[in-house]
Structure formats: structure tokens, C-alpha cells
Amino acid sequence: MAVESLQISPANDPRGTPGKEQQAAGVGILLQIMMLVLSFVLGHVLRRHKFYYLPEASASLLIGLIVGALANISNTETNIRAWFNFHEEFFFLFLLPPIIFQSGFSLSPKPFFSNFGAIVTFAIFGTFIASMVTGILVYLGGLMFLMYRLPFVECLMFGALISATDPVTVLSIFQELGTDMNLYALVFGESVLNDAMAISLYRTMSLVRSHAPGGQNLFMVIVRFLETFVGSMSSGVGVGFISALLFKYAGLDIDNLQNLECCLFVLFPYFSYMLAEGLGLSGIVSILFTGIVMKRYTYSNLSENSQQFACAFFHLISSLAETFVFIYMGFDIAMEKHSWSHLGFIFFSILFIIVARAVNVFSCAYLVNLARPAHRQIPLKHQKALWYSGLRGAMAFALALQSIHELPEGHGQTIFTATTAIVVLTVLLIGGSTGTMLEALQVIGDGHDGTLGESFESNNGYVAPSYNEGSTSGNRLKMKLKEFHRSAASFTALDRNFLTPFFTSHNGEEEEEAEELIPSSRRGSFNGHG
């Protein structure tokens, strides 16, 4: 791995004098900028010509692969590698936060909260199932000598990091071709909350591994997980609410203070991230919930110009970060010495995550459909689309990069190589065939005329529960559904009657009307995550 292989002693430093070092730095940064420009231009050309077999993420990955391969065979390999390489801290501190924040910030509230129960089931319960199934299968595969053998806790760590989905390619194609708003909300919502779950699981397993094996029991593992997840979520929500109150009462929405207003708004997400990290929690989970809360409450307290700036700014930096991550992954694959000796580990890992994803999606869909009336069932074709859209991306790659330092030599490298191979295969193969898959499942333009910007209420999918019609199997289920309906209605009422008036300068009805006016292009913008 580059981080370790680049500990060059001053005497052998090929960069030599400070002048040469500065020149090498300039060439490295120039190369990165050129690849970013090429990725954006190529992505635009492909989208303009409706060529869905090579999505933007795949194009960025291929550009990184080609440039890395060229650098590998040239004489400048060490110089370029030295200035292109960065630690995983660069991912976690500079690249992932804007991607994750934009995921939360660009959530479209109505479809998200209408399907909230299903999204939470898939993202929390489903991710837990997927990571456990993957971890157990990898461990059993090692015991049966099918693949490289890892200790059980390390198998669970691998299961946790590889269960982080990143269907950015699928979502961009959903937007281009148009699909059912509920399917889009399920895939997007699951990927957003799934990242938070995966990183919490990974950290929990990492903590379990670092402590004495005899001193851990299942109860303590669950407590540690809840500590990380609930603590991070609470700090993120808290920072979001504080920002809403600040912008409501500080009176910053006047012309000559817009610059200050924008600066403060941009700083709050990073404040949330660093606060959680400083408390030993997960900054990624925290910044995600800060994004959701800031969009719901803080955003409406900004002046109109600042609202436009905030949307454009976070969209811009998340696009740059997402593209750069895929370029770097491609570059890294070409430049690094990977543990390709463990091809069996890679092959069986891919099989196991396909099985785990299927168990996750179909079991959770079954549970969700049990609790829903007939007209709101998740159709089988949507379940298949959900299963197919489980691409792996930036989060899995970053956690695998981190595992190299946390696990014994050889173990971390094997996990990193397998994760990289899985990310490349899913992005290139699944990403490239998404358009064909959507056509085969007949979910293109499902529910409306082909765009996600259609009014949510006009959708023919499983929306807007009406508990006065539709037969259910038995009175007990009817009672349960009514309870779910009441609890959802009571949260909506709480939000409309108390939270919205308290944290924003509008009342609940005005807020809902304003939400309808937000352009779909802004709500369903390019995002990463999760």
C-alpha cells in the first residue's frame, strides 16, 4: 500500500533538491486537475449522447486506471506516486464529509419520510444482516480452505465495511431515464443511512478486536454500537438545531451580511464532523444527520441568495470529491502492489456479498410488506432493482484503506485488495448494465412520464397510505397499521406544530408549500453516498 511504501529516507529521496520537489509537486497536482477536467468533460459527452454503458463514475475510474498504468511504466513513477498519494485521513477529513453531507442535504423530504419505515428497515436491520452474513460466510470459507483464512472478528470487520453501498451510478441513471419516485427514495435513502450503519458496525468490530478477546460479550458489543451510532446521530442533530436557531435569531439575512451568512452555513457541517470525532464518535454519521436537519430547518432561515449559494456550493464540492475518489481508486489500483495471490478470497467474497445482498433485500422487503396494506406493497421488480443497485464505492474503499493500519500485516492488505476489486467490478459491470436492468425489469418511467421531477402525489406507486380502503389479513394487522399511521401522523404533527415554528421563521404549512417549490434538479442532485 502506498502509505507505507512511500516512507522514503532523505538520502534516497528521488525528488532531490527543494526546487525539484516543488516541480514534482506541481506535476502531481497538474495531473490530478487534468484527470478531473477529463472526467467531467467525458461524463458530460457520455450523458449528452445517452451512452449509459459507461456512467460518469465508471469513466472516472477508467481514467485513473489508464493514467496510473502509464505512470507505472514511465520513469517518473516514484515522483508522481509520491505526490499523488495521500493517507486515508485525507478521505475521512476532506473527501467523504462533503459527499455524506450532500447526501443528507439533498434528501427530498416527502418521498423519504413517506417510505421512512422501509428505508430504516433496509438501512439499519438490512445492513446488519448483510454484514453478518458476509462475515460468517467469509469465515466459513476460510475454515473450508476455499479462501484466505482470517480471524472471526476480522471477517466481521470485512463484512461491515463491504456492506457500505454507494449506488451513485444507479441513482444518476434513475434520474436520466426516470423511474418510480418511491424506488428512487428507497435506493437513495438506504444508501445514505447505510453508510452511517456500516461505519458504526466497522468501528464497533474494530473496538472488539483491539480489546482482550475474553472480556467481550454480545451485550457489550451492542452497547458499544449504540454508543457510537446514537451518540453520533444526537451530536449531528444537536448541531443542526443550534444552526437553525442561530440563523433564525441572528438576523443575518440582510444584503450586506450575506457573505457572513454563507461562511457560517458552510462551517457548521465541519463543526459537527469535528465535534463527533473529538468525542470519539463517528463524524460521518454526525455530518449526515446535520445535513438532514439543516436542510429541513436551517435552510429556510437563509436569505434567497444564500439558499442558492448553499445548494450550488455543496453540490459542487460533493461532485468534485466523488469524482476525485473514483479517479484515485483507479490510479491506486494501477500503481499499487496488491495481494493478487489471494484470488480465491476475491472470487468467493464477490459471491458471498451477492448472497448477503439478496438475503438483506428480500428478507427486509418481506418484513416491510407484512406491515403494509396491499396497495402499498413493494413490488418484486422494485426489490430486484434494490438488490441490483448495491454497488460498493467510496466508503468501502476508505474503510478498507484504514484496515491496512488496524489489522496485522497481510490481513489488511488482503481485505484492501478484495475491496478494491469488488468496487471496480460493481462500478464497471453493474453500473454499466443498470440501464439494461431497468428496461428488463420495466421500471423506467414507472409511475409517471419519465422524470423524477413529477409531483409526488401524482405517483401511482405505493404512496400516500389510505387506511380506510384495501383489505388486510386479519384485525391484528389492521390495528398495527393504524398504530404505525398514528405514530407517523403524530411525528408529522409534532414537526408541523412545534419543531418547524420553533426552529424556523415560518409555520409548518408555509414550510410544506415552500418545499413543493424546490426544483427537483436541486433535490435530486448528484451525490455520493452512500
Side-chain angles (χ1 to χ4, degrees):
M1 199 233 139
V3 178
E4 288 170 351
S5 63
L6 291 174
Q7 304 302 321
I8 303 167
S9 63
N12 302 323
D13 191 344
R15 291 173 286 184
T17 61
K20 284 262 179 76
E21 191 176 325
Q22 195 173 344
Q23 187 184 9
V27 171
I29 293 165
L30 175 67
L31 185 65
Q32 294 167 36
I33 292 169
M34 283 169 64
M35 286 194 286
L36 278 170
V37 170
L38 184 59
S39 290
F40 283 118
V41 171
L42 183 60
H44 171 69
V45 170
L46 291 169
R47 203 166 55 240
R48 197 171 178 182
H49 290 88
K50 300 190 187 305
F51 187 79
Y52 299 119
Y53 297 104
L54 189 67
E56 283 173 89
S58 307
S60 304
L61 196 73
L62 285 175
I63 288 167
L65 271 169
I66 293 162
V67 174
L70 291 173
N72 224 354
I73 57 174
S74 71
N75 296 326
T76 56
E77 178 203 338
T78 317
N79 280 353
I80 292 174
R81 185 190 282 183
W83 286 107
F84 199 90
N85 174 64
F86 46 78
H87 293 264
E88 73 277 1
E89 280 84 0
F90 186 79
F91 271 108
F92 283 104
L93 294 179
F94 296 104
L95 293 181
L96 284 176
I99 294 171
I100 301 295
F101 179 79
Q102 174 65 10
S103 295
F105 194 69
S106 63
L107 273 181
S108 191
K110 279 203 167 182
F112 179 76
F113 287 109
S114 177
N115 292 288
F116 188 70
I119 289 168
V120 168
T121 306
F122 282 113
I124 307 296
F125 182 61
T127 304
F128 178 77
I129 289 174
S131 62
M132 290 297 139
V133 169
T134 307
I136 290 165
L137 287 175
V138 168
Y139 181 68
L140 292 175
L143 286 181
M144 295 162 68
F145 303 104
L146 292 173
M147 58 204 293
Y148 185 72
R149 187 173 172 179
L150 291 173
F152 186 60
V153 176
E154 290 177 21
C155 289
L156 292 178
M157 284 174 74
F158 175 63
L161 72 88
I162 209 67
S163 63
T165 61
D166 183 18
V168 58
T169 305
V170 176
L171 291 170
S172 65
I173 292 170
F174 277 6
Q175 283 179 280
E176 292 289 322
L177 299 177
T179 188
D180 183 84
M181 191 59 148
N182 294 284
L183 176 60
Y184 184 89
L186 281 177
V187 174
F188 184 28
E190 187 224 359
S191 72
V192 168
L193 296 181
N194 155 281
D195 279 348
M197 181 69 181
I199 197 167
S200 299
L201 275 173
Y202 178 84
R203 288 200 171 190
T204 305
M205 295 306 166
S206 183
L207 274 171
V208 170
R209 188 194 158 274
S210 61
H211 286 70
Q216 293 292 330
N217 58 39
L218 184 64
F219 177 72
M220 284 309 295
V221 170
I222 294 167
V223 168
R224 283 181 190 282
F225 167 74
L226 290 173
E227 209 174 76
T228 306
F229 188 80
V230 178
S232 306
M233 183 177 75
S234 304
S235 71
V237 170
V239 170
F241 281 145
I242 290 166
S243 72
L245 290 173
L246 174 74
F247 284 98
K248 181 180 178 180
Y249 293 111
L252 298 171
D253 56 345
I254 52 177
D255 288 344
N256 60 341
L257 287 178
Q258 275 177 10
N259 190 35
L260 173 61
E261 190 181 32
C262 293
C263 289
L264 283 172
F265 192 86
V266 168
L267 288 173
F268 263 101
Y270 261 106
F271 173 73
S272 164
Y273 185 90
M274 295 305 168
L275 174 68
E277 289 293 323
L279 294 171
L281 301 167
S282 169
I284 296 292
V285 178
S286 180
I287 201 171
L288 166 66
F289 285 98
T290 301
I292 294 170
V293 172
M294 285 183 78
K295 180 58 181 282
R296 180 73 185 149
Y297 302 106
T298 314
Y299 181 79
S300 60
N301 293 333
L302 300 178
S303 61
E304 196 177 333
N305 286 345
S306 298
Q307 286 182 350
Q308 290 171 357
F309 167 80
C311 281
F313 177 77
F314 288 117
H315 182 208
L316 168 74
I317 58 168
S318 71
S319 297
L320 280 169
E322 185 80 47
T323 306
F324 191 76
V325 166
F326 280 106
I327 289 172
Y328 175 70
M329 280 194 277
F331 193 90
D332 185 81
I333 293 154
M335 296 287 279
E336 292 311 314
K337 293 184 176 70
H338 288 278
S339 304
W340 297 116
S341 55
H342 301 304
L343 280 173
F345 189 89
I346 295 166
F347 175 74
F348 283 107
S349 295
I350 292 168
L351 281 184
F352 294 157
I353 64 165
I354 290 169
V355 171
R357 178 75 183 162
V359 173
N360 163 2
V361 170
F362 295 114
S363 63
C364 289
Y366 177 75
L367 290 175
V368 170
N369 283 343
L370 274 181
R372 282 187 165 186
H375 64 284
R376 292 198 76 217
Q377 302 278 303
I378 300 175
L380 185 61
K381 61 182 180 180
H382 286 190
Q383 294 176 34
K384 288 176 182 172
L386 256 174
W387 170 72
Y388 198 83
S389 59
L391 285 79
R392 270 58 179 178
M395 180 60 79
F397 182 76
L399 288 172
L401 203 57
Q402 200 174 33
S403 74
I404 289 176
H405 301 295
E406 294 182 354
L407 300 180
E409 196 176 343
H411 293 193
Q413 191 66 49
T414 303
I415 284 175
F416 179 65
T417 303
T419 304
T420 310
I422 289 163
V423 168
V424 172
L425 285 169
T426 57
V427 168
L428 292 181
L429 295 180
I430 296 179
S433 60
T434 300
T436 314
M437 178 273 294
L438 289 175
E439 285 172 8
L441 291 174
Q442 298 177 325
V443 291
I444 291 176
D446 192 9
H448 44 65
D449 296 328
T451 57
L452 283 164
E454 294 283 333
S455 168
F456 182 67
E457 283 78 6
S458 68
N459 198 310
N460 297 329
Y462 42 98
V463 198
S466 169
Y467 290 91
N468 299 323
E469 55 180 275
S471 59
T472 58
S473 57
N475 289 327
R476 273 171 56 192
L477 191 53
K478 273 188 182 175
M479 291 300 291
K480 277 185 186 176
L481 290 168
K482 282 178 182 172
E483 281 167 29
F484 283 137
H485 187 218
R486 274 196 216 104
S487 61
S490 62
F491 176 76
T492 309
L494 174 74
D495 177 49
R496 187 176 61 247
N497 298 331
F498 299 102
L499 296 178
T500 300
F502 184 73
F503 289 107
T504 71
S505 38
H506 310 287
N507 63 37
E509 285 77 15
E510 284 172 0
E511 188 72 12
E512 282 184 8
E513 283 167 25
E515 212 119 64
E516 294 299 316
L517 299 173
I518 298 171
S520 62
S521 59
R522 206 185 277 174
R523 290 195 311 232
S525 56
F526 175 99
N527 54 69
H529 215 308

